[in-house]
Amino acid sequence: MSIIGIILTSFVISFLLTGYMRHYALKKNIIDNPNERSSHTIPTPRGGGVSIVITFLFVLVGLMLSRELDWSTGLILTAAGFGIAVLGFLDDHGHINSMLRLAIHFVIAIGVVFFLGGFSEVTLFSGNVQLGWLANIIAVLFLVWLLNLYNFMDGINGIASIEAITTTLSLAAVYLLLNIHLSSELLLILASSVLGFVLWNFPKARIFMGDAGSGFLGLILGILALIALKTDIAFFCAWIICLGVFIVDATFTLIRRVSNGHKMYDAHRSHAYQYASRKYNSHTKVTIAVLFINIFWLFPMAYLAAQKVLMPEVILLMAYIPLILLAVFLGAGKTENA
């Protein structure tokens, strides 16, 4: 089957599976009921992200069996993604102790870094900064943080899906434009799998993604970013730029809340996107704003970083400055009602 056929098939499977997951969630009463920390006002079934997981992993296995994807990459993505998805699925059905969940996240992240061969050779700023073994620790922390922040940022209609779709399409375009020997096909397949879900979630949410889907997306995007890092730090910077809205909002919010005396794991609704959705009384406006930021600001900056117009680390900083200012303007991390 051609890559176009695989992409279309992925979309159709994901779309149909999401409809089934909605039926399943309603039947099993897997419902998100609004509370004082919610950005929603209507009880809504959750767990639709399982469709993304099943579709993407199904296609991965098919690509491995047909030898269109090397087994080492495919097995890392499949095993790690499946593990995180199962953990999230169980959490969607009932509460899992947060410390146990975090411990499993670290075990999976360590396994990914190990089987990718480690990152001790990574250097920054044109080779002037040698990270050595510290790079492996940073890579593990990066994976754990990304899969968790993706969960934190999945709070309004469509935002987690739009972030995944624009990131994967942007990086696929960068790979193709620069003729980079990295798998743009995987990015397109992941984008189509998410697109099949988001039609059920945006602009009106008929089902939520749930922890299984958000954690899976965060981890898979993180692994693909680390695979790019194995090739060149410039491509990794391009990934970090494209994920900038989520990384800046989640990280800035956490730092500000902890500095204000809040516990790291306290539930809240003080992310920039949450303040924005209340300020403008719309999920749709905020999600579309993220779409525009990703396409018209972060994608061009990622392309420049990948091209090494300047040092990629400098372009990354340039890309993030407006995002940080926006987070400050919207009050990210500020104590609610303060």
Side-chain angles (χ1 to χ4, degrees), residues 18-280:
T18 305
Y20 171 77
M21 289 305 302
R22 184 174 187 274
H23 170 76
Y24 172 83
L26 289 171
K27 183 178 179 180
K28 297 293 185 179
N29 196 34
I30 306 171
I31 305 294
D32 247 339
N33 292 302
N35 56 45
E36 67 280 0
R37 297 185 300 273
S38 301
S39 297
H40 295 83
T41 57
I42 301 173
T44 306
R46 68 176 184 272
V50 169
S51 64
I52 301 170
V53 176
I54 294 174
T55 302
F56 187 65
L57 295 185
F58 173 75
V59 174
L60 275 187
V61 172
L63 291 175
M64 286 190 290
L65 292 175
S66 63
R67 300 183 183 277
E68 294 178 54
L69 175 67
D70 69 270
W71 277 79
S72 59
T73 300
L75 286 175
I76 291 169
L77 289 167
T78 303
F82 180 75
I84 287 296
V86 169
L87 183 65
F89 182 80
L90 295 174
D91 207 24
D92 283 335
H93 284 68
H95 180 68
I96 294 178
N97 179 272
S98 59
M99 295 307 295
L100 173 61
R101 186 170 65 244
L102 186 61
I104 296 173
H105 289 173
F106 270 101
V107 169
I108 291 175
I110 291 169
V112 168
V113 171
F114 175 79
F115 284 106
L116 282 176
F119 296 89
S120 299
E121 74 285 357
V122 171
T123 60
L124 301 175
F125 300 104
S126 301
N128 292 315
V129 178
Q130 304 280 340
L131 293 178
W133 270 95
L134 181 61
N136 294 315
I137 298 173
I138 294 172
V140 169
L141 293 175
F142 167 73
L143 286 178
V144 173
W145 179 227
L146 192 59
L147 76 89
N148 278 280
L149 75 81
Y150 223 90
N151 191 328
F152 302 154
M153 294 294 291
D154 179 28
I156 61 173
N157 299 346
I159 192 169
S161 300
I162 292 300
E163 181 76 356
I165 291 169
T166 53
T167 295
T168 49
L169 292 182
S170 294
L171 269 301
V174 168
Y175 290 175
L176 291 171
L177 288 170
L178 298 182
N179 196 26
I180 297 168
H181 186 62
L182 287 167
S183 183
S184 57
E185 290 84 0
L186 279 184
L187 301 179
L188 296 174
I189 292 165
L190 183 57
S192 65
S193 300
V194 179
L195 182 62
F197 162 80
V198 77
L199 296 182
W200 292 88
N201 181 251
F202 182 80
K204 180 180 179 180
R206 288 174 282 175
I207 187 168
F208 294 155
M209 185 177 289
D211 289 351
S214 60
F216 175 83
L217 280 179
L219 182 69
I220 294 299
L221 293 172
I223 295 173
L224 293 172
L226 289 181
I227 290 172
L229 177 59
K230 297 291 286 187
T231 301
D232 195 316
I233 186 67
F235 306 147
F236 181 71
C237 286
W239 271 93
I240 302 303
I241 289 170
C242 287
L243 289 165
V245 169
F246 272 31
I247 291 175
V248 169
D249 192 349
T251 305
F252 185 90
T253 298
L254 178 64
I255 292 172
R256 190 172 190 180
R257 282 182 57 80
V258 170
S259 66
N260 286 338
H262 296 282
K263 292 184 176 67
M264 186 180 295
Y265 48 80
D266 281 347
H268 63 91
R269 55 172 192 166
S270 59
H271 288 283
Y273 79 90
Q274 292 170 319
Y275 275 123
S277 68
R278 297 196 293 277
K279 179 181 177 68
Y280 300 107

Side-chain angles (χ1 to χ4, degrees), residues 319-332:
Y320 270 30
I321 288 174
L323 301 182
I324 294 170
L325 294 175
L326 183 60
V328 173
F329 170 75
L330 291 170

